[in-house]
Structures are given as structure tokens and as C-alpha cells.
């Protein structure tokens, strides 16, 4: 399989990132960061969730956030919906895309949305019906696609079952979520091949967390399978509150740096991304794991009189 020449980068920092923070990031700050991401050329942003405000209080302002976003650039604004209630709220708010999410593992689905996979699936048709009234685009996410913190390995056939249900419901864009960073390059290769063989018409989007430090290695494996869409968070923020041990997403600036250095286009201004990530550090009040925002780009070289000289 040939590597793609361009990749769609989705920013999930204000959703996956801020949901993992104990503090509530003010609505105006979320809007400012999202508008900066749009100006930086990010083509798709998962900006928030229309979930229960008791489950994720950090994202209870989704309606107000969307109202403040500059929508003149055509950036796809996506949001999570867990049930028909969330779909109705998201449709009324005017999202571009609803992201339904059903885990590949039974235990994580139970912890995350308080119901079984089959119960979640039984609500899917109603969500699709609500979305279709306003012609809202759909994306199907699958947390724990590469392993579950409660069950360990997730058999490919279990993942395939959720993908088949999404496909049957009419969803063509499917995100494989590596909720607690259990993916490995080998597993990514095997999973992509398994799904591409059986579901040639779906577009696979990869959503990695860097929990075990191999997030970008997994991106490399995805690129080798021709996957051209990846999700990441500014500064490497992120994590699911309902998955023990979940830590940061792969970092958007580091991902874009890797892609650009490989000659793969993203349409994104990496310097603007680094500046946004530093802004997020200030908002959150701690150092974030992103590396390129600290090291700079390869062309950012130093003058000879900068730094120490080793004199014996
Ligand atoms: N938006 C806003 N409120 C919602 C809602 C939605 N989409 N869905 C349910 N609620 C409200 C109900 O109105 C009810 O409120 P009330 O008690 O004031 O009447 C309350 O939440 C409980 O509703 P219920 O249908 O019994 O839900 P639940 O308690 O079984 O929780 C979910 C199920 C799906 C709503 C909840 O688990 C959830 O929001 N999970 C999201 C998890 C998530 O985002 N994880 C991170 C992404 S991987
Ligand atoms: Zn995630």
C-alpha cells in the first residue's frame, strides 16, 4: 500500500483534551483556541460533546462554544453525541458532523455510556434519523479499538461487528480510538488490513493516544496502510475520564511536523500550531508533553555565540 501524499488532521484538544482536565476552561477561551486552530488551517475539529453535563461537566457549554466559532473557512465542526437526546441537541445547535461512539469492548462501553454495546447500537437508527432531518454528516468512533483497560486484547471480530453496524446504518467514516494507548505498529497494520479487506468502502480515521510513547510509531504504521486521516490534540493533551490510565492524545504539532518532514501535505501552519499549544499550556497552567513546540522546527538553528562552548 502506498503512503498518502496528503493527510486530514483533526484537532480534538478542546474535546478529548479539556474533558480530561479537572478545571472548567472558560467558554471564551475555548472559542478563541478553536478560532486560532481554524485560522491555522485545521480542516476538521472535534470541538465538544453533547453528552450528559453530569458525566462531562467540562463540556457542558457545547452550544455556546459553537455559537462563537468563526465558520467562514469551511472547517468541519464535529461533536460527540451518545444518544438521541445528544443528537437532537447537536442538530439544534447546528453542528456540521455528529460523532457517535460505541466501544469495541463491552466493559468500556458500560463505563463510558452506562449501557451495553447492543443497547448503544439499538439507539443508532434514531440518531441517524435525527441527523438526516438536517442533513448532518456522520462519523462513527470506536473507543478501545486496539485494546481495553478492563478486558485487554479486543478480538478483531468484535471491532468488525461495530464497524459492520455503523456501515449498515449508513456511516462511511469510522474512527478507531486507541483510548488508553494499547495500539502497537503491528496491531495497527493487522487491524487496518482486517478492516480494509472486509469494508473497502469505509474511510478509516486513526485516533491514537501516546500513553506508552509509541503514538507516532502507530501513525507510521497507519501511513504504510494508506490511512490518510488522523486525530490529535494540541500540546498532547487528552484522555478519557472513564478509562483508567488514559493519558494524552498524540500531539498535533508533533504529528504535523512528522507529516511535513515526510513530504505529506496537511494544509496546516505548524508555527501557528506551536503558538496555540503554548497558549494552551498557559490556559491549563502546566507543561504539556508536546515536543516540537519546545524544540522548534529543523530550520530554527542557533547562532554560534548562543549556548556554551566546551573548553577543556
Ligand atoms: N445531553 C444532555 N443531557 C443528557 C444527555 C445528553 N446527550 N443524555 C442524557 N442526559 C441527561 C438526562 O436528561 C438525565 O437528566 P436528569 O437526571 O436531569 O433527568 C441524565 O442525563 C441521565 O440520563 P440517562 O439517559 O439515564 O443517562 P445515563 O445516566 O445512563 O448516562 C449517558 C448515559 C450516555 C448520557 C452518559 O453516560 C454520558 O453522557 N456519557 C458520555 C461519556 C463521554 O463523553 N465519554 C468520553 C468520550 S470517549
Ligand atoms: Zn481519545
Amino acid at each position: 500500500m502506498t503512503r498518502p501524499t496528503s493527510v486530514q488532521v483533526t484537532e480534538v484538544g478542546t474535546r478529548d483534551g479539556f474533558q480530561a482536565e479537572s478545571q472548567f476552561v472558560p467558554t471564551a477561551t475555548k472559542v478563541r483556541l478553536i478560532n486560532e486552530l481554524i485560522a491555522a488551517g485545521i480542516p476538521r475539529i472535534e470541538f465538544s460533546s453533547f453528552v450528559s453535563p453530569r458525566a462531562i461537566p467540562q463540556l457542558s457549554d457545547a452550544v455556546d462554544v459553537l455559537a462563537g466559532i468563526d465558520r467562514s473557512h469551511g472547517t468541519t465542526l464535529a461533536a460527540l453525541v451518545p444518544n438521541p437526546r445528544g443528537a437532537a441537541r447537536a442538530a439544534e445547535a447546528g453542528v456540521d458532523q455528529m460523532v457517535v461512539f460505541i466501544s469495541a469492548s463491552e466493559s468500556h462501553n458500560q463505563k463510558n455510556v452506562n449501557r451495553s454495546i447492543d443497547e448503544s447500537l439499538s439507539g443508532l437508527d434514531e440518531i441517524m434519523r435525527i441527523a438526516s432531518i438536517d442533513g448532518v454528516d456522520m462519523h462513527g468512533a470506536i473507543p478501545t479499538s486496539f485494546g481495553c483497560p478492563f478486558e485487554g486484547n479486543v478480538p478483531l471480530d468484535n471491532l468488525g461487528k461495530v464497524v459492520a453496524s455503523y456501515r449498515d446504518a449508513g456511516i462511511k467514516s469510522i474512527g478507531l480510538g486507541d483510548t488508553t494507548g494499547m495500539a502497537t505498529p503491528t496491531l495497527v497494520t493487522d487491524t487496518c488490513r482486517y478492516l480494509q479487506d472486509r469494508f473497502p468502502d469505509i474511510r478509516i480515521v486513526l485516533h491514537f493516544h501516546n500513553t506508552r510513547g509509541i503514538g507516532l510509531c502507530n501513525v507510521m504504521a497507519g501511513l504504510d496502510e494508506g490511512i490518510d486521516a488522523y486525530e490529535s490534540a494540541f500540546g498532547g493533551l487528552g484522555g478519557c475520564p472513564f478509562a483508567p490510565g488514559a493519558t494524552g492524545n498524540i500531539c498535533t504539532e508533533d504529528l504535523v511536523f512528522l507529516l511535513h518532514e515526510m513530504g505529506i501535505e496537511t494544509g496546516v501552519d505548524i508555527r501557528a500550531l506551536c503558538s496555540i499549544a503554548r497558549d494552551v499550556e498557559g490556559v491549563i497552567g502546566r507543561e504539556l508533553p508536546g515536543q516540537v513546540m519546545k524544540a522548534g522546527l529543523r530550520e530554527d538553528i542557533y547562532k554560534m555565540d548562543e549556548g556554551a562552548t566546551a573548553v577543556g
Side-chain angles (χ1 to χ4, degrees), residues 73 110 125 131 137 149 187 211 251 255 285 290:
H73 292 71
Q110 196 69 48
D125 283 347
D137 193 25
L187 187 53
T211 319
C251 166
L255 169 67

Side-chain angles (χ1 to χ4, degrees), residues 21-88:
E21 296 298 316
S22 50
Q23 59 178 306
F24 180 87
V25 176
T27 307
T29 307
K30 290 171 179 153
V31 170
R32 187 187 80 228
L33 292 170
I34 292 166
N35 285 339
E36 286 171 2
L37 290 163
I38 291 171
I42 295 278
R44 178 172 176 259
I45 299 176
E46 199 174 83
F47 71 94
S48 192
S49 299
F50 290 83
V51 298
S52 159
R54 277 209 286 275
I56 311 265
Q58 299 92 329
L59 304 182
S60 57
D61 58 351
V63 172
D64 295 331
V65 170
L66 185 61
I69 298 177
D70 171 10
R71 306 187 72 171
S72 65
H73 292 71
T75 309
T76 300
L77 295 168
L80 263 58
V81 303
N83 52 16
R85 168 91 197 279

Side-chain angles (χ1 to χ4, degrees), residues 29 32-33 36 274-284 293:
T29 307
R32 187 187 80 228
L33 292 170
E36 286 171 2
C274 289
S275 144
I276 295 168
R278 284 189 290 269
D279 190 355
V280 175
E281 280 193 326
V283 167
I284 297 298
M293 69 160 151

Side-chain angles (χ1 to χ4, degrees), residues 14 48 70 88 163 194 203 209 214 222 227 266 270 286 295 310:
T14 58
S48 192
D70 171 10
V163 174
Y194 175 95
R203 183 187 199 186
H209 283 251
I214 58 172
I227 306 299
T266 64
I270 187 164
R286 64 164 199 280

Side-chain angles (χ1 to χ4, degrees), residues 15-16 19 49-56 59 80-87 89 101 103 108-115 143 179 239-242:
R15 196 282 297 172
D16 210 335
Q19 78 178 11
S49 299
F50 290 83
V51 298
S52 159
R54 277 209 286 275
I56 311 265
L59 304 182
L80 263 58
V81 303
N83 52 16
R85 168 91 197 279
R89 289 180 58 218
F101 54 107
S103 304
H108 184 260
N109 205 66
Q110 196 69 48
K111 293 288 263 189
N112 202 32
V113 288
N114 193 28
R115 64 202 64 184
T179 312
C240 176
F242 308 106

